[in-house]
Amino acid sequence: MADSSQYKMLIGGQLVGASEQFDVVNPATEQVIASVPDASQADLDAAIAAARAAFPAWSAKTMDERRAVLNAMSDVILANIDELKRLLTSEQGKPHHEAEGEVIGAGYWLKGAASLDLPRDVVEDSEERRVETRRVPLGVVGAIAPWNFPLILAMFKIGPGLLAGNTMVLKPSPFTPLSTLRVAELIKDVVPAGVLNVITGSDRLGPWLTAHQGIDKISFTGSTATGKRVMESASAGLKRITLELGGNDPAIVMPDVDVAEIAPKLFWAAFNNNGQICIATKRMYIHKDVYEPLRDAIVEYAKTVKVGDGSEQGTQIGPINNRPQYERVKALIADSKEQGHNILLGGDAIEGPGYFIPVTIIDNPPETSRIVQEEQFGPVLPLLKFDDVEDAIARANASEYGLGGSVWGADTDRALSIAERVASGTVWVNETQYLSPVAAFGGRRQSGIGVEGGREGLMEYTAAQTISVKKG
Ligand code: TXE
C-alpha cells in the first residue's frame, strides 16, 4: 500500500513514511482520525543505525551544548501549545485544559531535565594516584512511551537520555502516536540528525525494538506484564533497563481532615485523567470517624463532574483511551456488581459511541476483592474504612505494587510519620501526583526497576567509568 499518511516518522533527521500504515481512533467518537506509518524491521534498523551514527558526535558535546538543544526543543513545544493540545485530545481523549497542561508540562520537563548535572567524584587523590569516577553515556536508548500521558512521559525519557549523551529511538504507543509525531516534525531542525528518532508501529514493533542488538538501554513505561517481557527480551543482550510499571496507590485519610475542603482533592486524586495514571489513588482508606461524611461529600462532588468529549467546552473527564482498556475497566465493575458490592455512583456503561464509563464509586468492598487488589486504571474507586491506623498501613502495604501513595491529615507531622511507613517509591502528604524533573520517581516491587527524574534518573542513562592515574 502506498504511504498516504500525513504523519511521518523521524529517522536520521528526515521525515519518512512506511510501506504500511495503521489507524488511530478518537476515543470519544470511535472515528478513525489518521493513519500513521507502521514501521517495518528495515525501518527500525534504519532508525537504530541513524542513532548509532549520531552517537559519537553527540556524546562528544559538552553538557552545556546538549542542554542548549533540550532547551531549544522545549521552546518549540511551548510555541505550539494550541495545535498540540488539540491533537492530544483527539487521540487521547483528555479534556483540552488537561491536554494543554500536558503540553506545557512536556516543555517544562525538558527544561527541568536540562538543569541537571552528572557527578564527577574524585575518590582518591594520594601521593601515588588520582582516582576519579565519572559517568559516561551508554549508547542508543530504546524508549517506549504509553498512551495515558504520551507527550510528558516521552519527555521523561528524552530529557535525561539525551542530556547524558545518548541518542534515542522513541516509540510512542500505537493508541497515541500523533502528538509525538508532530513534535518530532516540529523539532527536527533543532536536534542534530539521528540524535532523536521517532518511529511508530503496531504490536510487532515493541518486541523488535527491545530485542534489537543495536540498542544499549531500554526505558519502558507501561504495564507490569509487558515490563516483564521487556526485561526478558533485554536479558539476551544484557541491556540496561528502566521500567516504570503499574501501581495500586493507597491514600490514607486521617480523622482530623476538613471534610468539605478535602473531598474535591481526594476525588481528583483518583479521577484525574479519568483514573488513567500510574500514580492515581486506586484505594482510598478513610478513618471510620469521617468515613460516612467524606464518602457522601465525594459522591456529591462527583455528581457535579462532567464526563464527555474532551474537545467540548466544560468537559472535565473524557473517555477511556482505548477499547482494550475500556473492556478491562468494565470487567472490574462487572465483577464488583457480581460480588454484590454497594455501588454508590455510576456502574452502568454509557451508550456509545466512545469509550465512556461513568465515574463509579464503591462503598467499602472487601479488601480481597478485585477492585481493591488490582490496578483499575480507569474511573472507578473503592472507598475503604479503617479504624486503627496500623491496620490501614498494613493494608496499604499489602500489595504487589509499590509506586506511590498519599497520607492526608491536619496534623502534618503525624501524617508524615505515617507516610514514611508507606512502602512506595513516592509518598505525598496532603497532595498527590506532584512530580518534578529534579526528583527521583520510581516504583518498588512489581511497580518497576530504577527511577526516572532527578540526578538518579539521569545516572540511569550512564555507566560509571573509573579513571585511575598513577603519579610520579
Ligand atoms: O500497555 P502495555 P497497554 C497499565 C495499565 C493498563 C495496562 C495495559 O494498567 O491497563 O498497562 O496497557 C509495547 N516488548 N499502564 O496494553 O501492554 C506496546 O506496543 C516490547 C500503566 O497499553 O504495557 C505498547 O507500546 N514492547 C502505565 C507498550 O509496550 C512491547 C501507562 C505498552 O503496552 C511488548 C499505560 C513487548 N513484548 C498503561 N509488548 C504507566 N505505568 O503509567 C507490547 N509492547
Side-chain angles (χ1 to χ4, degrees):
M1 193 168 98
D3 174 17
S4 55
S5 172
Q6 71 176 101
Y7 290 93
K8 301 280 184 264
M9 303 185 287
L10 179 63
I11 298 181
Q14 303 293 316
L15 296 174
V16 299
S19 55
E20 292 175 62
Q21 283 85 39
F22 65 93
D23 290 338
V24 180
V25 165
N26 179 333
T29 62
E30 297 182 56
Q31 299 290 314
V32 172
I33 49 171
S35 71
V36 299
D38 189 356
S40 65
Q41 185 87 58
D43 296 325
L44 174 65
D45 290 344
I48 292 173
R52 293 217 82 80
F55 178 71
W58 180 249
S59 57
K61 285 190 187 296
T62 64
M63 290 283 275
D64 279 344
E65 287 170 326
R66 294 196 291 259
R67 268 189 250 287
V69 172
L70 291 179
N71 282 316
M73 285 170 64
S74 164
D75 292 341
V76 171
I77 292 170
L78 295 173
N80 290 277
I81 294 170
D82 197 60
E83 181 196 348
L84 289 170
K85 121 187 151 186
R86 286 172 199 284
L87 202 50
L88 184 55
T89 292
S90 71
E91 63 177 343
Q92 206 288 329
K94 65 183 69 189
H96 273 157
H97 68 275
E98 283 187 19
E100 180 169 323
E102 180 173 347
V103 176
I104 294 171
Y108 282 103
W109 201 273
L110 284 183
K111 287 200 198 299
S115 74
L116 293 166
D117 233 324
L118 283 168
R120 256 185 119 99
D121 295 329
V122 178
V123 291
E124 181 183 336
D125 196 5
S126 63
E127 283 181 8
E128 286 169 21
R129 67 179 60 79
R130 185 175 194 281
V131 184
E132 181 179 303
T133 299
R134 62 185 196 131
R135 310 297 307 194
V136 294
L138 296 166
V140 177
V141 175
I144 300 180
W147 45 260
N148 55 343
F149 285 89
L151 283 182
I152 201 162
L153 294 179
M155 300 308 149
F156 273 38
K157 303 176 192 312
I158 294 171
L162 299 195
L163 180 66
N166 304 280
T167 56
M168 184 172 281
V169 176
L170 168 70
K171 184 189 95 62
S173 165
F175 296 118
T176 53
L178 304 181
S179 49
T180 310
L181 288 177
R182 181 66 182 131
V183 166
E185 186 180 358
L186 289 166
I187 54 100
K188 100 177 159 46
D189 296 327
V190 301
V191 183
V195 169
L196 175 64
N197 305 275
V198 179
I199 56 169
T200 47
S202 52
D203 288 345
R204 60 193 189 178
L205 184 59
W208 288 347
L209 178 66
T210 54
H212 202 288
Q213 298 283 330
I215 295 281
D216 300 288
K217 180 196 164 95
I218 299 160
S219 177
F220 171 82
T221 303
S223 67
T224 297
T226 305
K228 289 177 184 175
R229 286 197 286 277
V230 168
M231 190 170 178
E232 199 180 337
S233 124
S235 74
L238 273 186
K239 295 184 178 83
R240 274 52 185 161
I241 50 172
T242 299
L243 304 176
E244 204 271 271
L245 309 176
N248 193 3
D249 288 12
I252 298 176
V253 185
M254 299 299 285
D256 59 352
V257 293
D258 178 333
V259 167
E261 192 234 306
I262 207 174
K265 292 182 187 167
L266 291 177
F267 174 86
W268 288 113
F271 293 98
N272 186 13
N273 208 45
N274 209 358
Q276 302 166 112
I277 312 189
C278 53
I279 47 172
T281 296
K282 295 177 181 133
R283 302 174 280 157
M284 195 170 285
Y285 296 94
I286 302 175
H287 191 273
K288 69 169 185 7
D289 289 357
V290 284
Y291 184 84
E292 276 82 15
L294 192 48
R295 174 195 68 190
D296 296 347
I298 292 173
V299 169
E300 282 315 304
Y301 180 80
K303 287 180 187 163
T304 70
V305 170
K306 185 173 176 244
V307 177
D309 186 326
S311 67
E312 282 167 15
Q313 187 78 16
T315 294
Q316 290 170 283
I317 291 182
I320 293 286
N321 173 255
N322 58 75
R323 180 162 286 281
Q325 186 60 22
Y326 175 66
E327 298 299 342
R328 265 193 289 273
V329 178
K330 281 204 303 187
L332 275 176
I333 295 175
D335 180 74
S336 270
K337 282 185 172 170
E338 272 164 38
Q339 302 302 316
H341 299 162
N342 182 20
I343 297 181
L344 297 164
L345 187 70
D348 296 318
I350 297 174
E351 281 290 305
Y355 310 134
F356 290 101
I357 291 180
V359 167
T360 298
I361 300 177
I362 302 176
D363 187 16
N364 205 24
E367 191 68 22
T368 52
S369 56
R370 285 185 61 197
I371 196 60
V372 179
Q373 293 301 319
E374 295 183 21
E375 176 181 46
Q376 60 273 49
F377 219 74
V380 45
L381 175 70
L383 304 179
L384 300 146
K385 197 189 288 191
F386 75 88
D387 186 350
D388 171 16
V389 75
E390 292 302 319
D391 172 54
I393 296 170
R395 287 157 73 189
N397 288 340
S399 169
E400 62 182 15
Y401 295 110
L403 191 58
S406 58
V407 183
W408 304 75
D411 180 346
T412 313
D413 291 341
R414 173 89 175 110
L416 178 60
S417 72
I418 296 166
E420 285 170 350
R421 294 176 59 200
V422 175
S424 298
T426 305
V427 191
W428 294 270
V429 173
N430 291 329
E431 66 171 353
T432 51
Q433 296 169 19
Y434 173 75
L435 297 180
S436 156
V438 297
F441 165 66
R444 288 160 67 170
R445 302 188 292 285
Q446 303 220 4
S447 287
I449 291 184
V451 298
E452 301 197 277
R455 177 178 276 192
E456 281 177 73
L458 179 60
M459 282 169 58
E460 295 211 8
Y461 288 97
T462 66
Q465 184 187 46
T466 296
I467 308 240
S468 189
V469 180
K470 181 85 172 83
K471 290 184 184 169

